[in-house]
Amino acid sequence: MNEVKKMENYDIIIIGAGPGGLTAGIYAGRQGTKTLIIDRDLAGGIGREVPEMENYPGFDNISGLELIEKMKAQATKNCELHEMEEVTEIIKTDEEYRFTVKTAKDSYKSKSVILATGSSHRHLDAMGEEEFKGKGVSYCATCDGFFFSGRDIIMVGGGNSALQEALYLKNLGANVTIVHRRDEFRAQKHLQNQIKQAGIPTILNATVEEIKGDMLVESVVLKDTQTGNLTENPVNGVFISVGYIPHSELAKQLEIDLDETGHIIIDKQQKTNVKYVYAIGDVCVGLKQWVVACGEGAVAATSAFEDLQNQ
């Protein structure tokens, strides 16, 4: 007769091991709660791809990967961490351990849940984008920039990430041009000034209509948003940084309130409309910054601890 495996019980389960999730784990563990962090990938998520940060307190310059490794080491001193284990379902019950968290490997019970599920790169939906993904089209300068030293590439986007990655690619020796659909960048002035100082060319009021090539990317067709004119430009690579799509699928399962863009709506204590469920980081409404996610992680872990104490 097969013995039924008993599910492990936790006070707090954190889904997502990015900067916010790891910070929540540090705070939750130090408060004495039994805490588990689960991530479908390696800890850090897309934060591992950040080539350089100059605005994280305490570090003049640090890569996302280096900072994640420091945070991961600190978090695992205070709680459990399961990497490469995707959460597929969360079931809410009326029991003391009111949430059953199911993964591809196992199931766990928890009194509360913190959603730190993050986001993924938004695509252009241009012709040829899917066809040439990994063949000249990339969403990660840190991952793929090395292969484009001395080659002509474009960086598509106008926010902080796009300009940071353009500078990184320039430093690797790539001949990078920034393409942005608006008439000015949304990035911080500090980054815009660095782009000018580095002599990186920019093409404003332009969108990528098509990515062309044979086996690899050979050119892009750009559309002038003011005149409608099309021009074909020879390039070896297209790097894309045009925002992120929130991973709010689990929130939808729990009937958590979302805004019109799919981001989770939270209050100042990081609480959602579902009791004992909290949310932090890029999956939430708010500023998409590493330090913000960390702050939200601390708030959510403290809120969960206080709510469990008062239940």
Side-chain angles (χ1 to χ4, degrees):
M1 184 176 178
N2 293 329
E3 184 179 345
V4 177
K5 183 180 178 181
K6 184 179 179 181
M7 280 187 275
E8 190 79 14
N9 293 338
Y10 294 89
D11 296 309
I12 302 172
I13 289 181
I14 302 163
I15 302 173
L22 292 173
T23 304
I26 293 167
Y27 272 74
R30 288 175 62 83
Q31 288 165 163
T33 55
K34 185 178 181 183
T35 301
L36 168 65
I37 306 174
I38 309 174
D39 198 290
R40 67 180 182 178
D41 209 328
L42 295 173
I46 58 176
R48 301 172 67 89
E49 301 173 5
V50 178
E52 291 182 330
M53 278 189 292
E54 296 178 324
N55 59 357
Y56 191 86
F59 297 95
D60 287 335
N61 189 303
I62 190 168
S63 71
L65 179 59
E66 185 181 356
L67 188 52
I68 277 295
E69 290 303 317
K70 291 178 182 292
M71 295 178 71
K72 176 181 171 181
Q74 189 174 2
T76 51
K77 292 177 182 177
N78 295 283
C79 66
E80 287 183 54
L81 170 63
H82 293 186
E83 296 175 290
M84 308 303 292
E85 185 171 352
E86 183 171 9
V87 174
T88 56
E89 187 178 12
I90 304 174
I91 301 170
K92 192 173 184 296
T93 70
D94 294 325
E95 302 170 7
E96 178 188 4
Y97 291 89
R98 55 186 67 84
F99 299 99
T100 299
V101 177
K102 294 187 175 183
T103 76
K105 296 180 180 179
D106 214 334
S107 294
Y108 313 92
K109 284 187 172 292
S110 182
K111 295 178 181 178
S112 59
V113 169
I114 298 175
L115 296 175
T117 45
S119 59
S120 57
H121 296 286
R122 188 177 296 279
H123 291 192
L124 296 174
D125 295 327
M127 288 180 59
E129 181 178 2
E130 288 298 316
E131 179 185 351
F132 290 105
K133 192 185 296 182
K135 301 174 184 177
V137 171
S138 174
Y139 304 88
C140 177
T142 309
C143 311
D144 302 323
F146 174 80
F147 302 107
F148 292 87
S149 178
R151 313 193 81 181
D152 297 326
I153 61 174
I154 62 168
M155 167 58 69
V156 186
N160 289 338
S161 296
L163 269 60
Q164 285 173 335
E165 296 206 342
L167 288 164
Y168 177 76
L169 291 164
K170 172 76 172 179
N171 289 336
L172 288 178
N175 304 315
V176 58
T177 298
I178 302 174
V179 175
H180 183 44
R181 62 191 177 95
R182 295 195 172 108
D183 59 0
E184 61 180 6
F185 293 126
R186 294 175 289 109
Q188 297 169 350
K189 287 296 181 185
H190 170 69
L191 287 169
Q192 295 187 42
N193 291 337
Q194 284 188 305
I195 292 294
K196 290 178 183 177
Q197 290 168 8
I200 297 176
T202 60
I203 301 174
L204 301 178
N205 297 309
T207 57
V208 176
E209 293 296 296
E210 186 176 0
I211 300 168
K212 302 172 73 174
D214 186 10
M215 298 295 290
L216 301 172
V217 169
E218 296 176 359
S219 67
V220 291
V221 177
L222 301 181
K223 179 180 180 180
D224 188 308
T225 58
Q226 295 181 322
T227 66
N229 290 339
L230 299 177
T231 57
E232 186 169 346
N233 301 267
V235 295
N236 304 116
V238 180
F239 285 78
I240 300 168
S241 181
V242 292
Y244 303 94
I245 299 171
H247 294 161
S248 48
E249 299 82 5
L250 294 173
K252 291 175 185 176
Q253 282 185 17
L254 292 168
E255 298 183 343
I256 289 170
D257 290 341
L258 309 176
D259 74 354
E260 66 278 3
T261 64
H263 290 84
I264 297 174
I265 298 171
I266 39 85
D267 65 12
K268 289 185 177 180
Q269 284 74 48
Q270 303 303 129
K271 297 179 182 181
T272 70
N273 60 300
V274 176
K275 200 168 184 183
Y276 299 107
V277 180
Y278 314 82
I280 60 176
D282 285 3
V283 75
C284 298
V285 174
L287 182 64
K288 307 293 188 256
Q289 287 290 303
W290 197 301
V291 70
V292 173
C294 293
E296 290 177 348
V299 172
T302 303
S303 294
F305 174 73
E306 291 175 350
D307 288 346
L308 291 175
Q309 292 291 99
N310 298 326
Q311 68 180 350

